[in-house]
Amino acid sequence: MEKATPININSRARPLLLDDEQKRALWRRWCDEGGDFPLILADLTCGAKTRAGTRCKRRDLYRSGRCKLHGGHSTGPRTAKGKRRSAQNGDAKKQSKPHERARFPNDLGKSRALSAEGQA
């Protein structure tokens, strides 16, 4: 059985072609183990799909390989207080006041004091 030769990821001699998943796996391994920073990861970006449809270009990444804006979903409340607060969501009906514009449709969004002066 042949022993696999380790790949020198810091070598500048011949650049490795890694796909995005392989780069992210290498990033996670480097975050866990430390050591010299792999030069092949120097151009690693977040890569999450933005609302505009493009890929995120931020380079300040967490261990997950995503930036602080695209770090992932919330894991939910952890403390007892947070779990109680989360359980109460949707239980009480809120008394909502109608929007000022909906109550006074003729004032075009201006305050009542200004619209009263304009009518006088």
Side-chain angles (χ1 to χ4, degrees):
M1 183 171 169
E2 293 181 29
K3 186 176 180 182
T5 58
I7 299 172
N8 185 2
I9 54 178
N10 288 322
S11 173
R12 292 181 188 255
R14 191 178 76 203
L16 293 174
L17 297 177
L18 299 177
D19 66 359
D20 197 47
E21 287 303 315
Q22 290 172 328
K23 281 187 177 182
R24 293 197 188 285
L26 183 60
W27 171 262
R28 283 189 294 272
R29 192 176 83 205
W30 177 78
C31 288
D32 291 341
E33 298 172 4
D36 293 333
F37 184 76
L39 295 176
I40 197 163
L41 298 179
D43 63 342
L44 185 65
T45 60
C46 171
K49 186 177 177 184
T50 63
R51 290 186 291 175
T54 59
R55 295 177 60 95
C56 178
K57 297 175 185 170
R58 291 184 64 122
R59 297 178 64 184
D60 52 332
L61 306 178
Y62 290 132
R63 182 194 175 279
S64 65
R66 298 292 184 201
C67 68
K68 68 177 183 175
L69 302 177
H70 303 109
H73 297 290
S74 170
T75 57
R78 304 249 180 197
T79 63
K81 181 179 177 182
K83 290 177 182 178
R84 280 194 308 272
R85 188 181 324 141
S86 177
Q88 292 174 353
N89 288 338
D91 287 346
K93 294 183 181 179
K94 296 178 181 167
Q95 297 290 332
S96 62
K97 297 178 183 177
H99 192 268
E100 192 75 22
R101 185 175 242 166
R103 234 185 309 161
F104 303 104
N106 295 333
D107 67 355
L108 301 174
K110 300 174 186 172
S111 68
R112 287 189 284 170
L114 291 176
S115 63
E117 289 175 7
Q119 295 174 356

